[in-house]
Amino acid sequence: MAKAAAKTKAAAAPASVERRPALAGRALSAPGVKVEMLPPAERISLRAPEASLAALSKALGLTLPTKPKTSATKDGRTALWLGPDEWMIIDEAGNDPLADCAKVTALHSAVGISHRNVGISVAGPAAAATVNSGCPQDLSLEAFPVGAASRTILGKSEIVLLRIAADAFRVECWRSFSDYVFTLLSEAAGDAAN
Amino acid sequence: MLLIRCPYCEEERPELEFRNAGEAHIARPTNIAAESDDDFEKFFFIRANPKGVIYERWRHIHGCARFFNAVRDTVTDKFVMTYKAGEPKPAKLPGASK
Amino acid sequence: MNAAFRISGAGRLSQAKTASFSFDDKPYVGIEGDTLASALLANGVHLVGRSFKYHRPRGFLSAGAEEPNALVQIVRDDARKTPNVRATVQELYDGLTANSQNRWPSLAFDVGAVNDIASPMFSAGFYYKTFMWPKWAWKDLYEPKIRATAGLGVSPEKPDPDHYASRYAHCEVLVLGGGAAGIAAALAAAETGVRVILADEQAEFGGSLRFESGARIDGQDGYAWAQAAIAKLKGMDNARVLSRTTAFGYYAQNFVGLVERVSDHLKNPGHELARERLWQVRANRVVLATGAIERHMVFANNDRPGVMLASAARTYLNHYGVAVGRNVGVYTANDSAYAAAIDLKKAGVNIAAIVDLRDNPSGAVIDEARGLGIEINFGRAVVSAGGKLRVSSMTVQPKNGGGQRTIPVDAILMSAGWTPSVHLFSQSRGKVAFNDETKRFVPGTYAQDCVSVGACNGTDGLDATIDEAYAAGAKAAKEAGGKIGKGSKPKVDAGEIWSRGMLGAAPGAGPGTTVKAFVDFQNDVTAKDIRQAVHEGMHSIEHVKRFTTNGMATDQGKTSNMHGLAIAAEELGKPIPQVGLTTFRAPYTPVTFGSIVGHARGALFDPTRRTAIHPWAARQGAVFEDVGNWKRAWYFPKAGEDMHAAVNRECVTVRKVGGLFDASTLGKIEVVGPDAAKFMELLYTNPWEKLETGRCRYGIMLREDGFIYDDGVVGRLAPDRFHVTTTTGGAPRVMNHMEDYLQTEFPHLNVWLTSITEQWAVIAVQGPKSRDIIAPLVEGIDMSDEAMPHMSVREGKICGVPTRLFRMSFTGERGFEVNVPADYGEAVWEALWAEGQKHGATAYGTETMHVLRAEKGYIIVGQDTDGTVTPNDAGLDWAVGKKKTDFVGIRGLTRPDLVAKGRKQLVGLKTKDPKVVLEEGAQIVADPKQPIPMKMIGHVTSSYWSENCGRSIALALVAGGRDRMGETLYVPMPNGTIEVEVTGMVFVDEKGERLNG
């Protein structure tokens, strides 16, 4: 499994070209909320049947959550439950979850999506109201507590939403949708404190 | 906007996250190449359009991405129940009007 | 400075804070807290509009959202001109500019008023009857003329510069209406700790407590209690209080649309504030506390300015401190108008007389009015109002006929009773029930988890209302998971109570009369029109409504529906419930487009997707085209080049040297798992099991009906891993199609799909020099023809970053597609560009891509196919695995029509005149001399000028096309018929030698 992915990890020659993340450094502050692009992170889309979860959890160093709309975080690495056999792993500590999964022989699919997605931080007392400008889910702490994670909708774009604190969210979207998502969140931020 | 209970997410979620996927419980024949013209027509083209209870497929496309089945009343637009793909057509419906 | 009709000491506004405004260019002064209506009335202005059809002068009927007459245009600047604003709702701000509508040249002298004199012509159904013939004239003559003279206000000429916000919200209890009932319900619910939203359309909460001077709750004046209760709610974390917020639509599963008017009341809103905010609220329980609306009396000339609802006059006095006249007449069929007369009398306004249609009513308010020395006439009717631009008299007559007496007045207050506002209840799909005793429709059968309380539920009296509402609020909260509340029910010390009244035409306007006794003010529908509709055969209330347009104006018949229904019922000789009520539909009051659109305008109208390489292309001056939501570089013009010249140069350069093309938008799906090949076998027509790792294959995907759904090159990265590409536009639906089969038909397969479209930027490097351009930057991949033949894929590094390097071609030249992680895309492109420049390569766009592939006869799904094309039709039979026993579409392909002779097949076309370029979509005939309509045997799917061929080339779907090679066919066009020759689809390098050239 994941042999091909492992191969890309092997070579060690330094990149001679720079990485240019989408919307790098963009940020917007409004009363009660700040919207900003997050630095690049390592990400994989992990698919696996239940029988493989123990092996994968061990390899990844965290317990893959099995309850809908939840996540698990350890040492800068977060596993988001997205579906009954689907997780997104986000690693902000610079470690490569694709390489970790490559060692696992149990049935699974791990696909690198580090560059497919971008992360946007929405933080502040008006963060939930900002996201609710385009996201139809109930974002109260009762319905969407800290650690809750879900694929959902923001306006006309699909996003993955992770609540990292009572007043802070991580919004993940595909790279080419980032301009739309960031702009919508920025415009909504200006209204959210009202 | 409807609220639809996703049997995989185990909660009601807003309709915007879902997409209808047509009538449920139409299984693709295992030896489809051998189907007669009439049988293929029934399988591929003919669909129920009832006034009342309909069995249909939905996909939680902007959620867990799973296909699942739903029983809905086309008169009231109310969902009677939802259940996972592959589960049999429910013999009894909870609180169905008909 | 006090305006003439402002009564010092009356009302709740601070008279110190003035606000200047203008109406029809005339300056006035009002005070802060006024509505435009109260400010104009304070200045003695009643005439504010002309009616829609007859252009009759009109004044204020109401003091609220039900207003049918006083529609004005509010002008902030050229781009901010809002028509049809109800002056009774518009709050005054300093500098407000308002204009009257539907009049020319002026409000007092309106040419259109000739319609009033000619009104016998304009009877019910007039438009339907008069403008039917000749048919052509409607579109060209009648409609434009009618629209020019009718019209409600003028649209702004410039785009709306304001912005509109939107918010999804969730709560356990949503309370709609912030009068006594709504506040009590919200308090009860909020005290349990659940999330509560309370919304009211007015600027201040209180509802009828704004005018009910007799209400006392918890030891204080009713209005003061309301403000204290609102302050308490605002202080609770679990309660959200929204003023100036109208619930306009009640949808399935307690989903309610609210529009909050955020800044229409502000002098300088600035751009920070949204103009309006759309709330889309999902509530576990809804409490409807929408109150009741007073009805007018239906009598001759009841529309004269100065004739208004009694409760409106009371609101203007008790809230705004404004007297609506100095010598006021009252015409009523219930008690509530007495309270208005008493309040005005006490404020020093002369009450000329109360005319009460009832024979011998008794009660405290009647005694009090009598005690104040007001003349009261029982059993009498006002049969006509005098005056034109302002009411000047009322003519009184015993209700069963007799001597008339004319009393001079400058205003008439009227009340025919109160209609429960069941609009939202009805929108919730609840069924109303008619209460025969009180002659009103009240909520009957509920369809959703909601409850009606107070006046909208037919509950009379403040005490009963608070009891009911408080209990309902607590119950709703409990059902939604709330705990036992800690508060206590508000105690009603004193309240007002009235009910009953009358429905339909009053004496003097009944059957046999032709007076202008208005039922629907906004659409100019009279009692006579309703009767006439019945006479002409409209026996359903839905037909009466459409024939007369009763209740179909922007006020949706808030004051007129019940009167119209009663008149129709009387004429039909049926009881009211048998005639039935028309359906209430959203929106409750008009909603701006802006609030519905919300953020979705300009850049946020739809996502604009850009590739990682987009910034480079933009810097090069590329022209972009929209492909789905993507912006794709269309062509790269050099200085002085037009599109034609740029594309010609790009096409020639790619074949001569090489070119770089941004193919990042192609859909990409990683198919992973031990059953990956099995899955591919089922989803594509081609065989995959034997495809070696490191090799690629062009795949065709069908729908079950046998028609081509998508295509693309697929690379096998490992035995259990495929890198699948799809068309740009097909990416999402192909993924959905694959997931559908995987999850529901082939769930036994151990394979998973992941979209990697945006993980990889794709740089196509095509042309004889393509390998020379790439090779210097690549590590770990042997790019020799032996090691890496055409249709192979390798993983390695380029510029030090990971790559999936495909050798493949959509141009017919030696070609590669360099996949790199998207964030590296632009930098790798720049490195390849630098290499390419050494050889004289070009960057090329989608147009050149299209031409080059057409020169090779490569199809584009969706352009050369249209959902009715099989692989055989497209000449792609070779890609269908003949030994396969199953794949999606295998049975569809053998359907009788799909194997019939004479199907349209894809062929090449060459025009006899090589300079002529056919139009895509043009129809093809075999015999141009046949009579019209000609038999069309096909159409052009792709057509270009090919600089490489020095002539035009085209692809076409032609019936039996492959049997027509060499035949001459014809393309009839408006400027003459074009002769074409049927050819093969490959125009360049038929043997395919250049793939290794």
Side-chain angles (χ1 to χ4, degrees):
Chain A
M1 193 66 42
K3 230 180 274 174
K7 232 193 282 176
T8 62
K9 187 77 179 125
S16 62
V17 291
E18 62 182 333
R19 183 168 182 173
R20 297 179 196 168
L23 313 187
R26 251 165 84 174
L28 176 130
S29 285
V33 62
K34 185 172 186 190
V35 182
E36 62 184 324
M37 297 304 295
L38 289 165
E42 295 300 315
R43 298 176 186 84
I44 61 167
S45 170
L46 179 65
R47 310 293 298 273
E50 213 179 333
S52 306
L53 297 193
L56 286 163
S57 293
K58 194 176 168 210
L60 287 164
L62 49 68
T63 305
L64 290 166
T66 52
K67 195 168 169 271
K69 221 170 80 173
T70 62
S71 67
T73 299
K74 200 175 172 188
D75 300 335
R77 179 174 284 186
T78 304
L80 296 78
W81 185 99
L82 294 185
D85 66 350
E86 180 179 2
W87 293 262
M88 177 158 73
I89 315 294
I90 305 174
D91 190 299
E92 296 177 278
N95 299 311
D96 184 3
L98 198 57
D100 295 338
C101 290
K103 300 167 203 147
V104 177
T105 52
L107 184 62
H108 75 282
S109 153
V111 174
I113 53 167
S114 301
H115 291 241
R116 184 187 80 175
N117 283 24
V118 299
I120 302 171
S121 158
V122 184
T130 301
V131 176
N132 265 147
S133 69
C135 175
Q137 281 205 35
D138 185 348
L139 299 182
S140 65
L141 279 164
E142 291 70 36
F144 206 91
V146 174
S150 170
R151 190 155 41 206
T152 182
I153 282 285
L154 183 84
K156 296 178 182 177
S157 174
E158 182 178 284
I159 59 165
V160 169
L161 187 64
L162 169 68
R163 187 170 216 144
I164 52 177
D167 61 355
F169 293 88
R170 180 186 184 103
V171 174
E172 288 263 324
C173 68
W174 287 8
R175 196 181 196 282
S176 74
F177 287 89
S178 59
D179 194 17
Y180 173 85
V181 170
F182 186 90
T183 307
L184 177 53
L185 289 170
S186 307
E187 205 180 283
D191 182 68
N194 295 305
Chain B
M1 181 168 62
L2 300 172
L3 274 179
I4 302 171
R5 185 181 189 279
C6 172
Y8 296 95
C9 293
E10 297 167 0
E11 66 173 7
E12 288 189 324
R13 296 277 278 267
E15 187 185 351
L16 288 177
E17 293 182 352
F18 296 83
R19 186 176 298 168
N20 184 284
E23 192 175 340
H25 299 295
I26 298 172
R28 187 175 186 271
T30 44
N31 188 6
I32 195 169
E35 290 285 292
S36 70
D37 283 345
D38 284 350
D39 287 344
F40 183 75
E41 180 195 24
K42 280 190 200 112
F43 158 70
F44 190 71
F45 293 105
I46 306 301
R47 292 294 180 269
N49 185 21
K51 180 180 180 183
V53 168
I54 189 169
Y55 295 79
E56 59 191 2
R57 306 187 320 134
W58 286 78
R59 186 180 182 202
H60 194 184
I61 185 163
H62 301 301
C64 67
R66 296 298 92 191
F67 283 84
F68 62 91
N69 295 327
V71 188
R72 187 171 58 92
D73 190 320
T74 59
V75 177
T76 62
D77 220 13
K78 280 184 180 163
F79 283 86
V80 179
M81 65 180 293
T82 57
Y83 50 102
K84 291 178 180 174
E87 289 180 5
K89 201 168 179 170
K92 267 190 182 171
L93 297 179
S97 58
K98 275 162 222 166
Chain C
M1 188 209 74
N2 259 2
F5 287 83
R6 189 86 65 180
I7 298 180
S8 73
R12 302 190 179 95
L13 312 186
S14 162
Q15 309 218 350
K17 295 181 183 169
T18 60
S20 300
F21 69 104
S22 76
F23 178 65
D24 281 350
D25 300 328
K26 198 174 165 199
Y28 296 97
V29 177
I31 53 182
E32 268 184 28
D34 262 329
T35 59
L36 176 59
S38 69
L40 283 167
L41 287 168
N43 286 281
V45 178
H46 277 257
L47 172 63
V48 284
R50 286 276 175 172
S51 72
F52 184 65
K53 193 158 110 180
Y54 300 132
H55 289 246
R56 284 171 68 100
R58 289 284 166 82
F60 304 100
L61 179 74
S62 74
E66 69 270 33
E67 179 60 34
N69 285 336
L71 303 183
V72 299
Q73 182 125 18
I74 304 292
V75 181
R76 282 191 193 263
D77 53 43
D78 278 359
R80 295 179 175 88
K81 295 178 183 174
T82 313
N84 305 324
V85 174
R86 289 152 296 162
T88 53
V89 171
Q90 174 66 49
E91 291 171 63
L92 192 67
Y93 54 82
D94 192 49
L96 181 146
T97 303
N99 293 315
S100 57
Q101 302 181 161
N102 203 25
R103 85 290 190 265
W104 185 84
S106 75
L107 190 54
F109 178 75
D110 174 20
V111 168
V114 69
N115 286 5
D116 193 23
I117 300 159
S119 63
M121 279 173 54
F122 291 88
S123 57
F126 167 73
Y127 291 96
Y128 298 129
K129 293 169 189 165
T130 312
F131 298 111
M132 286 300 286
W133 298 278
K135 258 186 178 165
W136 60 266
W138 175 256
K139 187 169 138 282
D140 299 329
L141 181 65
Y142 300 143
E143 190 180 356
K145 290 282 177 214
I146 292 166
R147 289 209 183 280
T149 54
L152 284 167
V154 184
S155 306
E157 295 88 27
K158 292 183 179 171
D160 187 348
D162 292 323
H163 66 102
Y164 298 80
S166 62
R167 191 91 54 88
Y168 289 98
H170 295 75
C171 63
E172 274 66 49
V173 180
L174 171 64
V175 183
L176 301 174
I183 293 171
L187 279 173
E191 282 159 0
T192 71
V194 302
R195 292 174 296 173
V196 174
I197 296 176
L198 169 64
D200 190 87
E201 62 190 356
Q202 302 273 359
E204 315 88 6
F205 284 83
S208 62
L209 297 173
R210 291 197 311 159
F211 62 80
E212 286 189 2
S213 48
R216 288 192 72 75
I217 305 170
D218 285 346
Q220 52 189 331
D221 163 65
Y223 183 80
W225 166 83
Q227 307 318 305
I230 291 301
K232 185 179 173 194
L233 283 166
K234 281 182 175 167
M236 299 169 81
D237 284 343
N238 59 318
R240 185 189 285 278
V241 174
L242 297 169
S243 61
R244 301 184 177 94
T245 302
T246 304
F248 65 85
Y250 195 134
Y251 305 97
Q253 289 168 290
N254 278 352
F255 193 61
V256 181
L258 315 173
V259 167
E260 181 183 3
R261 294 176 299 281
V262 179
S263 61
D264 272 355
H265 62 292
L266 300 176
K267 178 181 183 178
N268 294 311
H271 199 66
E272 293 303 306
L273 274 184
R275 183 178 169 218
E276 293 180 323
R277 186 179 296 125
L278 176 71
W279 292 87
Q280 296 181 79
V281 181
R282 179 77 67 180
N284 193 307
R285 292 289 185 281
V286 174
V287 177
L288 296 165
T290 47
I293 293 171
E294 199 170 22
R295 290 186 302 276
H296 57 281
M297 297 293 287
V298 179
F299 64 100
N301 300 324
N302 60 347
D303 63 327
R304 292 306 185 204
V307 181
M308 65 170 64
L309 299 173
S311 60
R314 235 183 143 195
T315 304
Y316 290 123
L317 179 70
N318 293 340
H319 191 76
Y320 300 103
V322 173
V324 299
R326 299 196 198 286
N327 182 36
V328 176
V330 176
Y331 182 24
T332 187
N334 86 108
D335 283 354
S336 66
Y338 283 82
I342 291 163
D343 286 350
L344 280 161
K345 178 77 177 175
K346 284 180 177 168
V349 174
N350 185 54
I351 303 300
I354 295 175
V355 179
D356 194 330
L357 204 52
R358 296 172 298 179
D359 282 327
N360 277 304
S362 62
V365 284
I366 297 171
D367 296 342
E368 190 182 355
R370 196 176 283 125
L372 287 167
I374 298 172
E375 177 192 329
I376 301 173
N377 302 278
F378 291 142
R380 281 169 208 279
V382 173
V383 292
S384 179
K388 189 148 190 269
L389 300 180
R390 173 79 183 265
V391 66
S392 60
S393 66
M394 58 181 188
T395 300
V396 181
Q397 190 180 30
K399 69 179 184 188
N400 298 319
Q404 293 189 346
R405 168 186 164 215
T406 297
I407 304 172
V409 294
D410 61 0
I412 299 175
L413 314 186
M414 51 185 174
S415 177
W418 293 77
T419 306
S421 291
V422 294
H423 308 76
L424 291 173
F425 168 78
S426 180
Q427 283 184 28
S428 80
R429 303 176 94 167
K431 292 269 177 284
V432 293
F434 191 69
N435 183 319
D436 210 39
E437 194 191 333
T438 58
K439 301 279 181 233
R440 57 193 178 188
F441 283 103
V442 292
T445 312
Y446 284 83
Q448 298 202 36
D449 291 328
C450 62
V451 59
S452 299
V453 295
C456 72
N457 195 36
T459 302
D460 299 313
L462 189 55
D463 217 352
T465 289
I466 297 263
D467 273 358
E468 178 180 69
Y470 194 82
K475 182 165 178 274
K478 186 164 175 263
E479 286 166 353
K483 301 178 176 64
I484 303 295
K486 294 183 288 284
S488 58
K489 189 178 72 176
K491 185 171 168 298
V492 176
D493 306 315
E496 300 180 0
I497 183 165
W498 48 71
S499 60
R500 313 298 167 90
M502 62 118 29
L503 293 170
T513 63
T514 59
V515 295
K516 284 211 182 64
F518 286 93
V519 174
D520 181 331
F521 293 100
Q522 206 184 347
N523 266 353
D524 271 349
V525 181
T526 64
K528 185 202 76 155
D529 293 331
I530 308 266
R531 288 192 295 267
Q532 188 195 333
V534 173
H535 280 295
E536 297 199 11
M538 312 298 145
H539 290 179
S540 149
I541 194 65
E542 296 286 354
H543 291 160
V544 171
K545 166 181 160 175
R546 282 158 184 81
F547 192 68
T548 62
T549 71
N550 190 55
M552 288 171 69
T554 62
D555 70 330
Q556 293 210 10
K558 291 186 178 59
T559 50
S560 65
N561 278 340
M562 286 307 296
H563 282 319
L565 175 57
I567 294 166
E570 183 188 19
E571 205 65 15
L572 288 163
K574 282 185 187 170
I576 283 174
Q578 276 187 32
V579 179
L581 200 56
T582 54
T583 311
F584 294 96
R585 297 185 201 284
Y588 172 70
T589 51
V591 174
T592 63
F593 284 111
S595 63
I596 300 294
V597 169
H599 297 291
R601 52 187 290 187
L604 293 177
F605 172 67
D606 214 15
T608 300
R609 305 176 69 181
R610 293 182 184 85
T611 70
I613 296 152
H614 186 101
W616 184 90
R619 287 196 299 275
Q620 295 292 311
V623 177
F624 293 89
E625 70 166 334
D626 290 335
V627 180
N629 285 17
W630 289 102
K631 291 278 178 204
R632 299 195 71 181
W634 195 11
Y635 56 96
F636 291 82
K638 290 188 169 176
E641 278 184 342
D642 61 6
M643 178 177 175
H644 190 68
V647 172
N648 286 348
R649 173 183 48 76
E650 290 173 17
C651 285
V652 169
T653 309
V654 173
R655 293 218 188 278
K656 205 177 269 173
V657 185
L660 270 66
F661 173 69
D662 180 3
S664 302
T665 63
L666 279 185
K668 295 174 276 294
I669 298 167
E670 199 152 317
V671 178
V672 182
D675 293 328
K678 270 187 201 152
F679 178 72
M680 292 298 294
E681 289 274 342
L682 285 164
L683 267 293
Y684 284 82
T685 60
N686 322 60
W688 299 97
E689 295 275 17
K690 289 182 183 154
L691 182 71
E692 288 168 33
T693 295
R695 296 308 304 262
C696 304
R697 181 165 287 164
Y698 168 76
I700 296 177
M701 172 179 277
L702 305 183
R703 294 186 311 208
E704 204 71 84
D705 57 9
F707 295 130
I708 295 175
Y709 192 55
D710 202 72
D711 69 349
V713 169
V714 178
R716 190 167 199 169
L717 300 173
D720 62 354
R721 190 175 294 254
F722 289 83
H723 178 117
V724 175
T725 67
T726 75
T727 56
T728 294
R733 64 178 157 78
V734 167
M735 185 75 180
N736 188 64
H737 175 86
M738 289 170 104
E739 279 287 350
D740 193 347
Y741 277 97
L742 177 55
Q743 290 184 34
T744 67
E745 298 293 354
F746 315 129
H748 55 281
L749 296 180
N750 281 318
V751 58
W752 290 275
L753 315 171
T754 305
S755 172
I756 48 166
T757 299
E758 300 228 31
Q759 167 68 13
W760 301 98
V762 184
I763 303 161
V765 184
Q766 301 278 313
K769 297 284 182 194
S770 55
R771 183 169 57 194
D772 301 339
I773 294 169
I774 299 169
L777 304 174
V778 168
E779 302 163 48
I781 302 173
D782 180 350
M783 291 180 67
S784 67
D785 283 345
E786 297 71 38
M788 192 177 179
H790 180 57
M791 293 304 263
S792 55
V793 57
R794 298 288 179 270
E795 292 180 273
K797 290 218 161 187
I798 185 165
C799 304
V801 303
T803 182
R804 288 179 179 174
L805 180 61
F806 284 74
R807 179 159 177 198
M808 56 181 280
S809 176
F810 201 43
T811 58
E813 302 297 320
R814 170 189 293 277
F816 297 87
E817 291 195 356
V818 181
N819 287 251
V820 289
D823 285 354
Y824 296 118
E826 191 185 12
V828 171
W829 174 286
E830 285 167 357
L832 287 164
W833 177 243
E835 288 299 321
Q837 293 232 285
K838 294 176 189 166
H839 301 275
T842 183
Y844 67 96
T846 49
E847 186 65 19
T848 290
M849 177 270 283
H850 274 101
V851 177
L852 294 176
R853 66 89 201 176
E855 287 173 351
K856 289 296 300 176
Y858 298 150
I859 68 160
I860 288 188
V861 171
Q863 173 164 346
D864 300 298
T865 70
D866 59 4
T868 67
V869 175
T870 67
N872 184 281
D873 298 340
L876 297 170
D877 234 3
W878 57 266
V880 180
K882 301 293 177 299
K883 290 178 191 155
K884 291 176 72 169
T885 55
D886 197 4
F887 56 83
V888 173
I890 191 169
R891 178 61 185 83
L893 282 178
T894 62
R895 290 192 291 145
D897 283 351
L898 270 63
V899 295
K901 278 203 183 321
R903 285 189 61 81
K904 286 183 185 171
Q905 294 169 329
L906 207 56
V907 294
L909 291 184
K910 281 182 179 170
T911 50
K912 288 278 161 81
D913 177 351
K915 295 237 168 339
V916 173
V917 181
L918 294 167
E919 280 195 34
E920 288 173 358
Q923 295 293 320
I924 299 161
V925 302
D927 171 13
K929 295 198 175 74
Q930 64 186 302
I932 293 169
M934 296 188 188
K935 182 177 168 54
M936 294 174 286
I937 59 168
H939 67 274
V940 178
T941 60
S942 294
S943 175
Y944 309 93
W945 172 260
S946 166
E947 187 72 6
N948 285 314
C949 300
R951 59 157 301 124
S952 72
I953 58 167
L955 301 176
L957 280 166
V958 177
R962 288 200 289 272
D963 294 332
R964 293 179 187 267
M965 289 297 144
E967 256 183 52
T968 298
L969 297 176
Y970 301 88
V971 179
M973 297 298 289
N975 298 328
T977 297
I978 302 166
E979 269 184 74
V980 299
E981 183 196 336
V982 180
T983 70
M985 288 166 63
V986 184
F987 300 94
V988 166
D989 181 28
E990 213 163 332
K991 289 182 184 157
E993 290 161 340
R994 299 183 64 88
L995 288 169
N996 295 305

